[in-house]
Amino acid sequence: MLTRLRPSQDRDALLARTHLGLHQLSEQAGQQGRSERHLRWGVSYARTAGDGAVRTYAQEMWNRWQSHSRQ
């Protein structure tokens, strides 16, 4: 539904939060491929959102994922 809205910072912030939440749920369910996909989408939307808190949250999740994937 959100993807049907015209691009805007608010829409991108909501999409970022949604995908980051889905990343966490997928990760907990052991669905690594789906989890990574949602993380990448979430980070991408966070970068265009213009919301510093969302960007920081996404970057923290990305850094945590990278450190775990290297182990």
Side-chain angles (χ1 to χ4, degrees):
M1 193 98 150
L2 287 173
T3 55
R4 292 183 179 169
L5 297 174
R6 290 179 38 180
S8 71
Q9 290 182 340
D10 290 337
R11 181 204 76 152
D12 288 354
L14 288 170
L15 282 166
R17 290 179 190 272
T18 299
H19 281 292
L20 293 172
L22 289 169
H23 156 69
Q24 289 180 312
L25 291 172
S26 299
E27 189 174 51
Q28 290 171 0
Q31 299 172 342
Q32 296 307 318
R34 181 173 286 179
S35 173
E36 181 180 346
R37 202 166 35 251
H38 282 299
L39 177 61
R40 290 180 184 278
W41 287 336
V43 168
S44 179
Y45 279 116
R47 288 180 177 154
T48 62
D51 183 330
V54 172
R55 257 189 297 199
T56 300
Y57 179 57
Q59 190 62 50
E60 289 171 358
M61 292 183 82
W62 179 259
N63 292 342
R64 186 172 46 234
W65 176 79
Q66 281 192 318
S67 69
H68 287 221
S69 66
R70 291 180 184 157
Q71 293 178 354

Short mmCIF file of all heavy atoms in Angstrom, two decimals:
data_model
loop_
_atom_site.label_atom_id
_atom_site.label_comp_id
_atom_site.label_asym_id
_atom_site.label_seq_id
_atom_site.Cartn_x
_atom_site.Cartn_y
_atom_site.Cartn_z
N MET A 1 0.81 -1.18 0.00
CA MET A 1 0.00 0.00 0.00
C MET A 1 0.87 1.26 0.00
O MET A 1 0.59 2.19 -0.73
CB MET A 1 -0.90 -0.04 1.23
CG MET A 1 -1.98 0.95 1.18
SD MET A 1 -3.46 0.14 0.63
CE MET A 1 -4.64 1.09 1.46
N LEU A 2 1.89 1.28 0.83
CA LEU A 2 2.76 2.45 0.89
C LEU A 2 3.49 2.70 -0.42
O LEU A 2 3.76 3.84 -0.78
CB LEU A 2 3.79 2.30 2.01
CG LEU A 2 3.28 2.45 3.43
CD1 LEU A 2 4.37 2.09 4.43
CD2 LEU A 2 2.78 3.85 3.68
N THR A 3 3.82 1.62 -1.12
CA THR A 3 4.56 1.79 -2.38
C THR A 3 3.71 2.46 -3.45
O THR A 3 4.24 2.95 -4.43
CB THR A 3 5.07 0.44 -2.90
OG1 THR A 3 3.97 -0.46 -3.04
CG2 THR A 3 6.12 -0.14 -1.98
N ARG A 4 2.41 2.49 -3.26
CA ARG A 4 1.53 3.15 -4.24
C ARG A 4 1.49 4.67 -4.05
O ARG A 4 1.03 5.39 -4.93
CB ARG A 4 0.11 2.60 -4.13
CG ARG A 4 0.03 1.17 -4.60
CD ARG A 4 -1.38 0.67 -4.56
NE ARG A 4 -1.42 -0.71 -5.03
CZ ARG A 4 -2.45 -1.48 -4.93
NH1 ARG A 4 -3.56 -1.02 -4.36
NH2 ARG A 4 -2.41 -2.71 -5.37
N LEU A 5 1.95 5.13 -2.89
CA LEU A 5 1.99 6.58 -2.63
C LEU A 5 3.13 7.21 -3.43
O LEU A 5 4.11 6.55 -3.76
CB LEU A 5 2.21 6.85 -1.14
CG LEU A 5 1.13 6.37 -0.20
CD1 LEU A 5 1.58 6.59 1.24
CD2 LEU A 5 -0.18 7.09 -0.46
N ARG A 6 2.98 8.49 -3.69
CA ARG A 6 4.05 9.21 -4.38
C ARG A 6 5.28 9.24 -3.47
O ARG A 6 5.15 9.33 -2.26
CB ARG A 6 3.61 10.63 -4.70
CG ARG A 6 2.55 10.66 -5.77
CD ARG A 6 2.07 12.04 -6.09
NE ARG A 6 3.17 13.01 -6.04
CZ ARG A 6 3.01 14.28 -6.28
NH1 ARG A 6 1.84 14.77 -6.57
NH2 ARG A 6 4.03 15.11 -6.24
N PRO A 7 6.46 9.16 -4.07
CA PRO A 7 7.68 9.21 -3.25
C PRO A 7 7.73 10.49 -2.40
O PRO A 7 7.42 11.58 -2.87
CB PRO A 7 8.81 9.23 -4.29
CG PRO A 7 8.22 8.57 -5.49
CD PRO A 7 6.77 8.98 -5.49
N SER A 8 8.07 10.30 -1.15
CA SER A 8 8.25 11.42 -0.23
C SER A 8 9.11 10.93 0.93
O SER A 8 9.28 9.72 1.12
CB SER A 8 6.91 11.93 0.30
OG SER A 8 6.34 10.99 1.20
N GLN A 9 9.62 11.84 1.69
CA GLN A 9 10.46 11.47 2.83
C GLN A 9 9.66 10.70 3.87
O GLN A 9 10.16 9.74 4.45
CB GLN A 9 11.11 12.70 3.44
CG GLN A 9 12.17 13.31 2.54
CD GLN A 9 12.85 14.51 3.16
OE1 GLN A 9 12.32 15.13 4.08
NE2 GLN A 9 14.01 14.85 2.65
N ASP A 10 8.42 11.12 4.11
CA ASP A 10 7.58 10.41 5.09
C ASP A 10 7.29 8.98 4.65
O ASP A 10 7.38 8.04 5.43
CB ASP A 10 6.26 11.14 5.31
CG ASP A 10 6.43 12.45 6.05
OD1 ASP A 10 7.45 12.62 6.76
OD2 ASP A 10 5.54 13.32 5.93
N ARG A 11 6.95 8.82 3.38
CA ARG A 11 6.68 7.48 2.85
C ARG A 11 7.92 6.61 2.96
O ARG A 11 7.85 5.46 3.41
CB ARG A 11 6.25 7.56 1.38
CG ARG A 11 5.94 6.19 0.79
CD ARG A 11 6.07 6.17 -0.70
NE ARG A 11 7.48 6.15 -1.09
CZ ARG A 11 7.92 5.62 -2.21
NH1 ARG A 11 7.09 5.09 -3.07
NH2 ARG A 11 9.19 5.64 -2.50
N ASP A 12 9.07 7.15 2.61
CA ASP A 12 10.30 6.37 2.66
C ASP A 12 10.67 6.00 4.09
O ASP A 12 11.17 4.91 4.34
CB ASP A 12 11.44 7.11 1.97
CG ASP A 12 11.27 7.14 0.46
OD1 ASP A 12 10.35 6.49 -0.06
OD2 ASP A 12 12.07 7.83 -0.20
N ALA A 13 10.42 6.89 5.04
CA ALA A 13 10.69 6.59 6.45
C ALA A 13 9.79 5.43 6.92
O ALA A 13 10.25 4.52 7.61
CB ALA A 13 10.48 7.82 7.32
N LEU A 14 8.52 5.46 6.53
CA LEU A 14 7.61 4.37 6.90
C LEU A 14 8.01 3.05 6.25
O LEU A 14 7.99 1.99 6.89
CB LEU A 14 6.17 4.72 6.52
CG LEU A 14 5.50 5.81 7.36
CD1 LEU A 14 4.18 6.24 6.72
CD2 LEU A 14 5.28 5.31 8.77
N LEU A 15 8.39 3.11 4.98
CA LEU A 15 8.82 1.90 4.30
C LEU A 15 10.12 1.36 4.91
O LEU A 15 10.28 0.14 5.05
CB LEU A 15 9.01 2.16 2.81
CG LEU A 15 7.71 2.21 2.00
CD1 LEU A 15 7.96 2.80 0.62
CD2 LEU A 15 7.10 0.83 1.88
N ALA A 16 11.01 2.25 5.29
CA ALA A 16 12.26 1.81 5.93
C ALA A 16 11.95 1.09 7.23
O ALA A 16 12.45 -0.01 7.47
CB ALA A 16 13.17 3.01 6.19
N ARG A 17 11.13 1.68 8.07
CA ARG A 17 10.78 1.06 9.35
C ARG A 17 10.08 -0.29 9.13
O ARG A 17 10.33 -1.25 9.86
CB ARG A 17 9.90 1.98 10.18
CG ARG A 17 10.64 3.19 10.70
CD ARG A 17 9.70 4.09 11.50
NE ARG A 17 10.30 5.35 11.82
CZ ARG A 17 11.04 5.59 12.90
NH1 ARG A 17 11.26 4.62 13.75
NH2 ARG A 17 11.54 6.79 13.11
N THR A 18 9.21 -0.34 8.15
CA THR A 18 8.49 -1.59 7.85
C THR A 18 9.46 -2.69 7.44
O THR A 18 9.42 -3.81 7.96
CB THR A 18 7.45 -1.35 6.73
OG1 THR A 18 6.51 -0.38 7.19
CG2 THR A 18 6.74 -2.64 6.36
N HIS A 19 10.36 -2.38 6.50
CA HIS A 19 11.30 -3.39 6.02
C HIS A 19 12.30 -3.79 7.10
O HIS A 19 12.68 -4.96 7.20
CB HIS A 19 12.03 -2.92 4.76
CG HIS A 19 11.20 -3.05 3.53
ND1 HIS A 19 10.85 -4.27 3.00
CD2 HIS A 19 10.64 -2.12 2.73
CE1 HIS A 19 10.10 -4.09 1.93
NE2 HIS A 19 9.96 -2.79 1.74
N LEU A 20 12.71 -2.84 7.94
CA LEU A 20 13.64 -3.19 9.01
C LEU A 20 12.96 -4.09 10.04
O LEU A 20 13.58 -5.02 10.57
CB LEU A 20 14.20 -1.92 9.66
CG LEU A 20 15.10 -1.08 8.74
CD1 LEU A 20 15.44 0.25 9.40
CD2 LEU A 20 16.35 -1.83 8.33
N GLY A 21 11.70 -3.85 10.30
CA GLY A 21 10.94 -4.72 11.20
C GLY A 21 10.77 -6.11 10.60
O GLY A 21 10.91 -7.12 11.31
N LEU A 22 10.48 -6.17 9.30
CA LEU A 22 10.34 -7.46 8.63
C LEU A 22 11.68 -8.20 8.60
O LEU A 22 11.73 -9.44 8.67
CB LEU A 22 9.79 -7.28 7.22
CG LEU A 22 8.31 -6.87 7.16
CD1 LEU A 22 7.93 -6.45 5.75
CD2 LEU A 22 7.43 -7.99 7.67
N HIS A 23 12.76 -7.46 8.50
CA HIS A 23 14.10 -8.06 8.58
C HIS A 23 14.26 -8.78 9.91
O HIS A 23 14.69 -9.94 9.95
CB HIS A 23 15.17 -6.99 8.41
CG HIS A 23 16.49 -7.35 9.00
ND1 HIS A 23 17.29 -8.35 8.49
CD2 HIS A 23 17.14 -6.87 10.09
CE1 HIS A 23 18.39 -8.45 9.24
NE2 HIS A 23 18.31 -7.57 10.21
N GLN A 24 13.91 -8.12 10.99
CA GLN A 24 14.06 -8.72 12.31
C GLN A 24 13.18 -9.97 12.47
O GLN A 24 13.64 -10.99 12.98
CB GLN A 24 13.72 -7.71 13.40
CG GLN A 24 14.77 -6.61 13.52
CD GLN A 24 14.42 -5.61 14.59
OE1 GLN A 24 13.29 -5.13 14.64
NE2 GLN A 24 15.39 -5.30 15.42
N LEU A 25 11.95 -9.87 12.01
CA LEU A 25 11.05 -11.03 12.10
C LEU A 25 11.55 -12.21 11.27
O LEU A 25 11.52 -13.35 11.72
CB LEU A 25 9.63 -10.64 11.66
CG LEU A 25 8.88 -9.71 12.60
CD1 LEU A 25 7.58 -9.25 11.95
CD2 LEU A 25 8.60 -10.39 13.92
N SER A 26 12.02 -11.92 10.06
CA SER A 26 12.53 -12.98 9.18
C SER A 26 13.78 -13.61 9.76
O SER A 26 13.98 -14.82 9.69
CB SER A 26 12.84 -12.41 7.79
OG SER A 26 11.69 -11.89 7.19
N GLU A 27 14.62 -12.77 10.35
CA GLU A 27 15.85 -13.28 10.96
C GLU A 27 15.53 -14.21 12.12
O GLU A 27 16.11 -15.29 12.25
CB GLU A 27 16.70 -12.09 11.43
CG GLU A 27 18.08 -12.45 11.88
CD GLU A 27 18.89 -11.22 12.19
OE1 GLU A 27 18.41 -10.35 12.96
OE2 GLU A 27 20.01 -11.12 11.67
N GLN A 28 14.58 -13.83 12.94
CA GLN A 28 14.17 -14.65 14.08
C GLN A 28 13.55 -15.97 13.62
O GLN A 28 13.66 -16.99 14.30
CB GLN A 28 13.19 -13.90 14.97
CG GLN A 28 13.82 -12.76 15.72
CD GLN A 28 12.81 -11.88 16.43
OE1 GLN A 28 11.60 -12.12 16.36
NE2 GLN A 28 13.28 -10.86 17.10
N ALA A 29 12.90 -15.95 12.46
CA ALA A 29 12.27 -17.15 11.92
C ALA A 29 13.26 -18.03 11.15
O ALA A 29 12.90 -19.08 10.63
CB ALA A 29 11.11 -16.77 11.00
N GLY A 30 14.52 -17.58 11.06
CA GLY A 30 15.53 -18.35 10.37
C GLY A 30 15.48 -18.25 8.86
O GLY A 30 16.06 -19.07 8.16
N GLN A 31 14.81 -17.24 8.34
CA GLN A 31 14.68 -17.04 6.90
C GLN A 31 15.74 -16.03 6.45
O GLN A 31 15.46 -14.86 6.21
CB GLN A 31 13.28 -16.54 6.56
CG GLN A 31 12.20 -17.51 6.96
CD GLN A 31 10.81 -16.93 6.80
OE1 GLN A 31 10.63 -15.72 6.70
NE2 GLN A 31 9.82 -17.79 6.76
N GLN A 32 16.97 -16.51 6.31
CA GLN A 32 18.10 -15.62 6.08
C GLN A 32 18.00 -14.85 4.76
O GLN A 32 18.31 -13.66 4.72
CB GLN A 32 19.41 -16.41 6.13
CG GLN A 32 19.68 -17.02 7.50
CD GLN A 32 19.62 -16.00 8.63
OE1 GLN A 32 20.11 -14.89 8.52
NE2 GLN A 32 18.97 -16.37 9.72
N GLY A 33 17.59 -15.49 3.69
CA GLY A 33 17.47 -14.80 2.41
C GLY A 33 16.45 -13.67 2.46
O GLY A 33 16.72 -12.55 2.02
N ARG A 34 15.31 -13.96 3.01
CA ARG A 34 14.25 -12.96 3.15
C ARG A 34 14.69 -11.85 4.10
O ARG A 34 14.46 -10.67 3.85
CB ARG A 34 12.97 -13.62 3.64
CG ARG A 34 11.82 -12.64 3.78
CD ARG A 34 10.56 -13.36 4.11
NE ARG A 34 10.11 -14.03 2.89
CZ ARG A 34 9.04 -14.77 2.81
NH1 ARG A 34 8.28 -14.98 3.86
NH2 ARG A 34 8.69 -15.33 1.67
N SER A 35 15.36 -12.24 5.17
CA SER A 35 15.84 -11.27 6.14
C SER A 35 16.81 -10.28 5.50
O SER A 35 16.70 -9.06 5.69
CB SER A 35 16.53 -12.01 7.30
OG SER A 35 17.14 -11.11 8.17
N GLU A 36 17.76 -10.80 4.74
CA GLU A 36 18.74 -9.93 4.08
C GLU A 36 18.07 -9.00 3.07
O GLU A 36 18.40 -7.82 2.97
CB GLU A 36 19.81 -10.77 3.37
CG GLU A 36 20.87 -9.92 2.70
CD GLU A 36 21.93 -10.75 2.00
OE1 GLU A 36 22.01 -11.97 2.24
OE2 GLU A 36 22.67 -10.16 1.21
N ARG A 37 17.12 -9.53 2.33
CA ARG A 37 16.40 -8.72 1.34
C ARG A 37 15.69 -7.55 2.01
O ARG A 37 15.79 -6.41 1.55
CB ARG A 37 15.41 -9.62 0.59
CG ARG A 37 15.00 -9.13 -0.74
CD ARG A 37 14.28 -10.18 -1.60
NE ARG A 37 13.44 -11.13 -0.90
CZ ARG A 37 13.74 -12.43 -0.72
NH1 ARG A 37 14.85 -12.93 -1.18
NH2 ARG A 37 12.89 -13.22 -0.08
N HIS A 38 14.98 -7.81 3.12
CA HIS A 38 14.28 -6.74 3.82
C HIS A 38 15.26 -5.73 4.42
O HIS A 38 15.00 -4.53 4.43
CB HIS A 38 13.37 -7.31 4.91
CG HIS A 38 12.09 -7.86 4.38
ND1 HIS A 38 11.16 -7.10 3.70
CD2 HIS A 38 11.60 -9.13 4.40
CE1 HIS A 38 10.14 -7.86 3.35
NE2 HIS A 38 10.38 -9.10 3.76
N LEU A 39 16.39 -6.22 4.90
CA LEU A 39 17.39 -5.30 5.45
C LEU A 39 17.90 -4.37 4.35
O LEU A 39 18.00 -3.16 4.56
CB LEU A 39 18.56 -6.09 6.06
CG LEU A 39 19.71 -5.24 6.59
CD1 LEU A 39 19.25 -4.31 7.70
CD2 LEU A 39 20.85 -6.13 7.06
N ARG A 40 18.22 -4.92 3.19
CA ARG A 40 18.72 -4.09 2.09
C ARG A 40 17.68 -3.05 1.66
O ARG A 40 18.01 -1.89 1.42
CB ARG A 40 19.15 -4.95 0.92
CG ARG A 40 20.39 -5.74 1.19
CD ARG A 40 20.80 -6.60 0.00
NE ARG A 40 21.95 -7.42 0.30
CZ ARG A 40 23.21 -7.00 0.26
NH1 ARG A 40 23.46 -5.76 -0.09
NH2 ARG A 40 24.21 -7.82 0.54
N TRP A 41 16.43 -3.46 1.55
CA TRP A 41 15.37 -2.50 1.19
C TRP A 41 15.20 -1.45 2.28
O TRP A 41 15.05 -0.27 1.98
CB TRP A 41 14.05 -3.22 0.96
CG TRP A 41 13.97 -4.01 -0.32
CD1 TRP A 41 14.71 -3.83 -1.46
CD2 TRP A 41 13.11 -5.11 -0.57
NE1 TRP A 41 14.35 -4.76 -2.40
CE2 TRP A 41 13.37 -5.55 -1.89
CE3 TRP A 41 12.15 -5.76 0.18
CZ2 TRP A 41 12.69 -6.61 -2.47
CZ3 TRP A 41 11.48 -6.83 -0.41
CH2 TRP A 41 11.75 -7.24 -1.71
N GLY A 42 15.23 -1.88 3.53
CA GLY A 42 15.07 -0.95 4.64
C GLY A 42 16.18 0.09 4.67
O GLY A 42 15.92 1.29 4.86
N VAL A 43 17.41 -0.35 4.47
CA VAL A 43 18.54 0.58 4.45
C VAL A 43 18.42 1.54 3.28
O VAL A 43 18.65 2.75 3.41
CB VAL A 43 19.88 -0.19 4.41
CG1 VAL A 43 21.05 0.73 4.11
CG2 VAL A 43 20.10 -0.92 5.73
N SER A 44 18.02 1.04 2.13
CA SER A 44 17.86 1.89 0.95
C SER A 44 16.80 2.97 1.19
O SER A 44 17.03 4.14 0.90
CB SER A 44 17.48 1.03 -0.25
OG SER A 44 17.29 1.82 -1.40
N TYR A 45 15.65 2.58 1.70
CA TYR A 45 14.61 3.56 1.98
C TYR A 45 15.04 4.53 3.07
O TYR A 45 14.73 5.72 3.01
CB TYR A 45 13.29 2.88 2.38
CG TYR A 45 12.49 2.39 1.20
CD1 TYR A 45 12.24 1.04 1.03
CD2 TYR A 45 11.97 3.28 0.27
CE1 TYR A 45 11.50 0.57 -0.05
CE2 TYR A 45 11.23 2.83 -0.81
CZ TYR A 45 11.00 1.48 -0.97
OH TYR A 45 10.26 1.04 -2.04
N ALA A 46 15.79 4.05 4.06
CA ALA A 46 16.25 4.93 5.14
C ALA A 46 17.18 6.01 4.60
O ALA A 46 17.14 7.15 5.08
CB ALA A 46 16.95 4.11 6.21
N ARG A 47 17.97 5.69 3.63
CA ARG A 47 18.90 6.67 3.06
C ARG A 47 18.18 7.79 2.34
O ARG A 47 18.66 8.92 2.28
CB ARG A 47 19.88 5.98 2.12
CG ARG A 47 20.88 5.13 2.85
CD ARG A 47 21.84 4.47 1.91
NE ARG A 47 22.83 3.71 2.67
CZ ARG A 47 23.48 2.67 2.20
NH1 ARG A 47 23.27 2.26 0.96
NH2 ARG A 47 24.35 2.03 2.95
N THR A 48 17.01 7.51 1.78
CA THR A 48 16.27 8.55 1.06
C THR A 48 15.20 9.21 1.93
O THR A 48 14.56 10.16 1.49
CB THR A 48 15.59 7.97 -0.20
OG1 THR A 48 14.65 6.96 0.19
CG2 THR A 48 16.61 7.39 -1.16
N ALA A 49 15.03 8.73 3.15
CA ALA A 49 13.95 9.22 4.01
C ALA A 49 14.21 10.62 4.56
O ALA A 49 13.28 11.35 4.84
CB ALA A 49 13.71 8.25 5.17
N GLY A 50 15.46 10.99 4.74
CA GLY A 50 15.74 12.29 5.31
C GLY A 50 15.47 12.35 6.80
O GLY A 50 15.45 13.42 7.39
N ASP A 51 15.24 11.21 7.42
CA ASP A 51 14.97 11.12 8.86
C ASP A 51 16.23 10.56 9.52
O ASP A 51 16.56 9.39 9.34
CB ASP A 51 13.77 10.21 9.10
CG ASP A 51 13.36 10.11 10.56
OD1 ASP A 51 14.24 10.23 11.43
OD2 ASP A 51 12.17 9.89 10.81
N GLY A 52 16.92 11.39 10.27
CA GLY A 52 18.18 10.99 10.88
C GLY A 52 18.06 9.79 11.78
O GLY A 52 18.93 8.91 11.79
N ALA A 53 16.98 9.71 12.55
CA ALA A 53 16.80 8.58 13.47
C ALA A 53 16.62 7.28 12.70
O ALA A 53 17.18 6.24 13.09
CB ALA A 53 15.59 8.83 14.38
N VAL A 54 15.88 7.31 11.62
CA VAL A 54 15.66 6.10 10.81
C VAL A 54 16.97 5.68 10.16
O VAL A 54 17.32 4.50 10.12
CB VAL A 54 14.57 6.33 9.74
CG1 VAL A 54 14.48 5.16 8.78
CG2 VAL A 54 13.23 6.56 10.40
N ARG A 55 17.72 6.66 9.65
CA ARG A 55 19.00 6.34 9.02
C ARG A 55 19.99 5.73 10.02
O ARG A 55 20.68 4.77 9.71
CB ARG A 55 19.62 7.59 8.39
CG ARG A 55 19.45 7.60 6.90
CD ARG A 55 20.23 8.70 6.30
NE ARG A 55 19.68 9.95 6.83
CZ ARG A 55 19.84 11.12 6.30
NH1 ARG A 55 20.58 11.26 5.24
NH2 ARG A 55 19.30 12.18 6.81
N THR A 56 20.03 6.29 11.22
CA THR A 56 20.92 5.77 12.26
C THR A 56 20.54 4.35 12.64
O THR A 56 21.39 3.47 12.75
CB THR A 56 20.88 6.69 13.50
OG1 THR A 56 21.31 7.99 13.11
CG2 THR A 56 21.77 6.16 14.61
N TYR A 57 19.25 4.12 12.82
CA TYR A 57 18.74 2.79 13.16
C TYR A 57 19.10 1.79 12.07
O TYR A 57 19.58 0.69 12.35
CB TYR A 57 17.23 2.87 13.37
CG TYR A 57 16.54 1.58 13.70
CD1 TYR A 57 16.91 0.82 14.80
CD2 TYR A 57 15.50 1.11 12.92
CE1 TYR A 57 16.26 -0.37 15.11
CE2 TYR A 57 14.84 -0.07 13.22
CZ TYR A 57 15.24 -0.81 14.31
OH TYR A 57 14.59 -1.97 14.61
N ALA A 58 18.89 2.17 10.82
CA ALA A 58 19.20 1.28 9.69
C ALA A 58 20.69 0.99 9.63
O ALA A 58 21.09 -0.16 9.40
CB ALA A 58 18.72 1.90 8.39
N GLN A 59 21.51 2.00 9.86
CA GLN A 59 22.96 1.80 9.82
C GLN A 59 23.42 0.87 10.93
O GLN A 59 24.29 0.02 10.72
CB GLN A 59 23.69 3.14 9.91
CG GLN A 59 25.17 3.04 9.62
CD GLN A 59 25.47 2.55 8.22
OE1 GLN A 59 24.93 3.07 7.24
NE2 GLN A 59 26.32 1.55 8.09
N GLU A 60 22.83 1.01 12.10
CA GLU A 60 23.17 0.11 13.21
C GLU A 60 22.80 -1.33 12.88
O GLU A 60 23.57 -2.25 13.16
CB GLU A 60 22.46 0.56 14.49
CG GLU A 60 23.01 1.83 15.08
CD GLU A 60 22.17 2.39 16.21
OE1 GLU A 60 21.09 1.81 16.53
OE2 GLU A 60 22.56 3.42 16.77
N MET A 61 21.62 -1.50 12.30
CA MET A 61 21.20 -2.86 11.92
C MET A 61 22.12 -3.43 10.84
O MET A 61 22.48 -4.60 10.88
CB MET A 61 19.75 -2.86 11.45
CG MET A 61 18.78 -2.57 12.57
SD MET A 61 17.08 -2.67 12.03
CE MET A 61 16.85 -4.44 12.11
N TRP A 62 22.50 -2.59 9.88
CA TRP A 62 23.39 -3.02 8.79
C TRP A 62 24.75 -3.44 9.37
O TRP A 62 25.28 -4.49 9.01
CB TRP A 62 23.56 -1.90 7.78
CG TRP A 62 24.48 -2.26 6.66
CD1 TRP A 62 25.78 -1.89 6.51
CD2 TRP A 62 24.17 -3.08 5.53
NE1 TRP A 62 26.29 -2.43 5.37
CE2 TRP A 62 25.32 -3.15 4.75
CE3 TRP A 62 23.02 -3.74 5.13
CZ2 TRP A 62 25.37 -3.89 3.57
CZ3 TRP A 62 23.06 -4.48 3.94
CH2 TRP A 62 24.23 -4.54 3.18
N ASN A 63 25.30 -2.62 10.26
CA ASN A 63 26.60 -2.93 10.86
C ASN A 63 26.54 -4.23 11.66
O ASN A 63 27.46 -5.05 11.59
CB ASN A 63 27.07 -1.79 11.76
CG ASN A 63 27.41 -0.54 10.96
OD1 ASN A 63 27.63 -0.60 9.76
ND2 ASN A 63 27.45 0.59 11.64
N ARG A 64 25.46 -4.42 12.41
CA ARG A 64 25.29 -5.64 13.20
C ARG A 64 25.19 -6.86 12.27
O ARG A 64 25.80 -7.90 12.51
CB ARG A 64 24.06 -5.53 14.09
CG ARG A 64 23.89 -6.69 15.03
CD ARG A 64 22.77 -6.49 16.04
NE ARG A 64 21.55 -6.00 15.42
CZ ARG A 64 20.90 -4.91 15.82
NH1 ARG A 64 21.32 -4.21 16.85
NH2 ARG A 64 19.80 -4.52 15.22
N TRP A 65 24.42 -6.72 11.19
CA TRP A 65 24.27 -7.83 10.24
C TRP A 65 25.61 -8.17 9.59
O TRP A 65 25.96 -9.34 9.46
CB TRP A 65 23.24 -7.46 9.17
CG TRP A 65 23.10 -8.50 8.11
CD1 TRP A 65 22.41 -9.66 8.20
CD2 TRP A 65 23.68 -8.48 6.81
NE1 TRP A 65 22.53 -10.37 7.02
CE2 TRP A 65 23.30 -9.67 6.16
CE3 TRP A 65 24.48 -7.57 6.14
CZ2 TRP A 65 23.70 -9.96 4.87
CZ3 TRP A 65 24.89 -7.86 4.85
CH2 TRP A 65 24.49 -9.06 4.23
N GLN A 66 26.38 -7.14 9.20
CA GLN A 66 27.67 -7.39 8.57
C GLN A 66 28.62 -8.10 9.53
O GLN A 66 29.35 -8.99 9.11
CB GLN A 66 28.29 -6.09 8.08
CG GLN A 66 27.71 -5.61 6.79
CD GLN A 66 28.53 -4.49 6.19
OE1 GLN A 66 28.97 -3.60 6.90
NE2 GLN A 66 28.73 -4.54 4.90
N SER A 67 28.63 -7.69 10.78
CA SER A 67 29.54 -8.32 11.75
C SER A 67 29.14 -9.78 12.00
O SER A 67 30.00 -10.62 12.18
CB SER A 67 29.60 -7.54 13.05
OG SER A 67 28.39 -7.63 13.76
N HIS A 68 27.84 -10.08 11.96
CA HIS A 68 27.38 -11.46 12.16
C HIS A 68 27.62 -12.32 10.92
O HIS A 68 27.89 -13.51 11.04
CB HIS A 68 25.89 -11.50 12.52
CG HIS A 68 25.64 -11.02 13.91
ND1 HIS A 68 24.74 -11.62 14.73
CD2 HIS A 68 26.16 -10.00 14.63
CE1 HIS A 68 24.70 -10.99 15.89
NE2 HIS A 68 25.57 -10.00 15.84
N SER A 69 27.51 -11.72 9.75
CA SER A 69 27.67 -12.50 8.52
C SER A 69 29.13 -12.85 8.26
O SER A 69 29.41 -13.78 7.51
CB SER A 69 27.07 -11.76 7.32
OG SER A 69 27.80 -10.58 7.04
N ARG A 70 30.05 -12.14 8.87
CA ARG A 70 31.47 -12.42 8.70
C ARG A 70 31.97 -13.51 9.63
O ARG A 70 33.06 -14.02 9.47
CB ARG A 70 32.29 -11.15 8.92
CG ARG A 70 32.08 -10.13 7.84
CD ARG A 70 32.91 -8.92 8.08
NE ARG A 70 32.61 -7.91 7.08
CZ ARG A 70 32.81 -6.64 7.23
NH1 ARG A 70 33.32 -6.17 8.34
NH2 ARG A 70 32.50 -5.79 6.27
N GLN A 71 31.17 -13.86 10.62
CA GLN A 71 31.60 -14.86 11.60
C GLN A 71 31.37 -16.26 11.10
O GLN A 71 30.64 -16.60 10.30
CB GLN A 71 30.86 -14.66 12.91
CG GLN A 71 31.25 -13.37 13.57
CD GLN A 71 30.47 -13.14 14.88
OE1 GLN A 71 29.57 -13.90 15.23
NE2 GLN A 71 30.80 -12.08 15.57
#
